[in-house]
Amino acid sequence: MDQMDADATYAMSPRRVVFEYKANGEARAAAISGDALERLVGGKDLAGAGQNLEAYRAHWQAIHGLATAKHDQGHELVVIRAGDIQER
C-alpha cells in the first residue's frame, strides 16, 4: 500500500518537491515541479519549502497516482510538470 512520504524534500533550481512512493510493490522516487503544485492547488502561488511541502502533503495521493502513470508509460525519471495537471 502506498503512503505519503513524510520525508519528502523541497529543492530549488528548479523549484520542486522530491518524494518516494510505492507502486505495484516497487519502491520508486519522483518529483513534482513547483508550477505543477501551484496548478494542483488551483493556481495559488506557493512560496518556500513550507507551502510547497504542505501542498504535497494535501495532495499526495493524486501526485503519486500521476507519478505511477508516468512511470508505467515508460518514463524512468519521473517529474510531474504543470502540463500533467488538469486545470482546476
Side-chain angles (χ1 to χ4, degrees):
M1 182 171 138
D2 195 19
Q3 299 180 48
M4 181 190 74
D5 182 358
D7 297 321
T9 58
Y10 175 73
M12 294 286 295
S13 293
R15 183 172 55 103
R16 66 199 177 283
V17 170
V18 179
F19 59 93
E20 293 182 354
Y21 67 106
K22 224 175 220 190
N24 303 322
E26 181 181 311
R28 301 176 181 172
I32 182 167
S33 73
D35 291 340
L37 279 169
E38 287 176 349
R39 180 171 278 189
L40 191 61
V41 299
K44 177 184 171 192
D45 288 335
L46 301 174
Q51 289 184 354
N52 280 271
L53 289 169
E54 183 180 321
Y56 164 78
R57 290 181 191 116
H59 299 280
W60 72 269
Q61 290 173 309
I63 294 166
H64 289 202
L66 288 166
T68 298
K70 287 190 81 160
H71 184 272
D72 290 348
Q73 292 170 0
H75 298 265
E76 290 187 32
L77 299 173
V78 174
V79 178
I80 300 166
R81 303 196 186 284
D84 299 320
I85 308 293
Q86 293 182 4
E87 291 286 342
R88 292 185 172 241

